[in-house]
Amino acid sequence: MTEVTEGLDQQVSDLVFAYDAAYGRAAQTVSLSAAQACLLEHLTADGCSMGELAGELLCDASNVTQLVSRLEARGLVARVPDPADRRIKRVSITPAGQRVRDAVRRAFDFPSDRLGRLTQPERHQLAALLAKVLA
Amino acid sequence: MTEVTEGLDQQVSDLVFAYDAAYGRAAQTVSLSAAQACLLEHLTADGCSMGELAGELLCDASNVTQLVSRLEARGLVARVPDPADRRIKRVSITPAGQRVRDAVRRAFDFPSDRLGRLTQPERHQLAALLAKVLA
DNA sequence: ACGGATGCCTGAGTGGGTCAAGTAATCTCT
DNA sequence: AGAGATTACTTGACCCACTCAGGCATCCGT
């Protein structure tokens, strides 16, 4: 590894640390944990099943059960039984949940504060590099 | 926000998600939590105080107490009283701790697997962009 | 020497996360 | 149609991370 590459590793580590911290702060502004905010962000309009959420969040299904239960207790999501398969519970976001989710997005200042420092050509460059890294 | 910028936000989110997942997996290979591995990684040769660690990890001092206690119970770190100020406990890494820390580094495949996809000029580009973002 | 900071620890409480076992609904195969 | 396997979710037990309030020892300024 060259000098530059080692510096790059550290920079990526710092980026992730700053991102996680900013996300946690944004969630806290509406008394949500990062995990709860993350789940809220993953909900789609037609409603995800619990299993789909567990797959996307890379965690156990029983963990999703608890997260959804807490969000449901606050009235931010609702469990809707799937008419076609009654084993399935579809999690849909309520109007109150949408307001909270939007508040988290507004409070999440990482994109504007950090990525906003780049010029438009620089963003294109970064997007191209990240596309290669994430492919 | 333009189309490209929104895509960039998503890419950064994906990057962070992949990084965190990879780090957690690396820590698990030696039965450590991500938080424990992270603390181990922050230790310096001369020994950090508990308070310094809490500052770097952005968490409560009592949280550091518990993390260090668990690592100490496994023989990976040691609490060394500071000779100049007996309130201070300096946390130093043991030889066993160094071996575990190195194992985590080897198991952490994100830099090689992901950043390794970039050419040397691309790494320079990315490093420059991240420097601007993190400044 | 005394009072306020400082550094760390303890105990209680919440939440995230996994695992094992359980229940209900669906699917398969004959 | 019906028995058995499979799938989707829940429950209970458990551990860890994290925070907060309170406590104890030590250090520092006056």
Side-chain angles (χ1 to χ4, degrees):
Chain A
M1 289 274 188
T2 72
E3 195 180 301
V4 169
T5 300
E6 284 174 13
L8 180 58
D9 291 0
Q10 184 59 49
Q11 284 177 306
V12 172
S13 172
D14 292 346
L15 177 83
V16 170
F17 190 80
Y19 186 98
D20 285 339
Y23 197 79
R25 266 182 275 119
Q28 269 197 340
T29 62
V30 287
S31 299
L32 248 55
S33 68
Q36 288 171 343
C38 195
L39 191 151
L40 219 50
E41 200 64 48
H42 272 79
L43 292 181
T44 58
D46 47 342
C48 295
S49 74
M50 309 287 284
E52 287 168 355
L53 287 171
E56 289 174 16
L57 302 177
L58 289 185
C59 71
D60 197 274
S62 71
N63 192 20
V64 176
T65 296
Q66 301 178 73
L67 289 170
V68 169
S69 294
R70 292 193 189 102
L71 292 172
E72 193 180 29
R74 291 199 196 177
L76 305 183
V77 304
R79 282 179 168 94
V80 187
D82 188 313
D85 185 340
R86 287 181 324 206
R87 294 171 301 181
I88 295 177
K89 303 280 179 63
R90 300 218 159 266
V91 184
S92 72
I93 192 166
T94 64
Q98 289 178 15
R99 285 193 294 274
V100 167
R101 190 192 53 191
D102 291 347
V104 173
R105 286 177 184 167
R106 281 192 303 272
F108 184 50
D109 53 14
F110 190 92
S112 52
D113 277 13
R114 302 292 195 148
L115 301 180
R117 296 177 185 175
L118 301 178
T119 65
Q120 201 62 20
E122 286 172 336
R123 292 186 208 206
H124 277 88
Q125 261 191 27
L126 182 54
L129 292 170
L130 292 184
K132 194 166 178 183
V133 167
L134 295 169
Chain B
M1 290 273 188
T2 73
E3 196 179 300
V4 169
T5 301
E6 285 175 12
L8 179 58
D9 290 0
Q10 184 60 49
Q11 283 177 306
V12 172
S13 171
D14 292 346
L15 178 83
V16 170
F17 190 80
Y19 187 98
D20 285 340
Y23 197 79
R25 265 182 275 120
Q28 270 197 340
T29 62
V30 286
S31 299
L32 247 56
S33 69
Q36 289 170 345
C38 195
L39 191 151
L40 219 51
E41 200 64 47
H42 273 80
L43 293 181
T44 59
D46 47 342
C48 295
S49 75
M50 309 287 284
E52 286 167 357
L53 287 171
E56 288 174 16
L57 302 177
L58 289 186
C59 71
D60 197 276
S62 71
N63 192 20
V64 176
T65 296
Q66 301 177 70
L67 288 170
V68 169
S69 294
R70 291 191 191 103
L71 292 172
E72 193 180 30
R74 291 199 196 177
L76 305 183
V77 303
R79 283 179 167 95
V80 187
D82 187 312
D85 185 340
R86 286 182 323 205
R87 293 171 301 181
I88 295 178
K89 304 281 179 62
R90 301 220 159 265
V91 183
S92 73
I93 191 166
T94 65
Q98 289 178 15
R99 285 193 294 274
V100 167
R101 190 192 54 191
D102 291 347
V104 173
R105 286 178 185 168
R106 282 192 301 273
F108 184 49
D109 53 14
F110 189 93
S112 52
D113 277 14
R114 301 291 194 149
L115 301 180
R117 296 177 185 177
L118 301 179
T119 65
Q120 202 62 22
E122 286 171 335
R123 292 186 207 206
H124 277 89
Q125 261 191 28
L126 182 55
L129 292 170
L130 292 184
K132 195 167 178 183
V133 166
L134 294 168

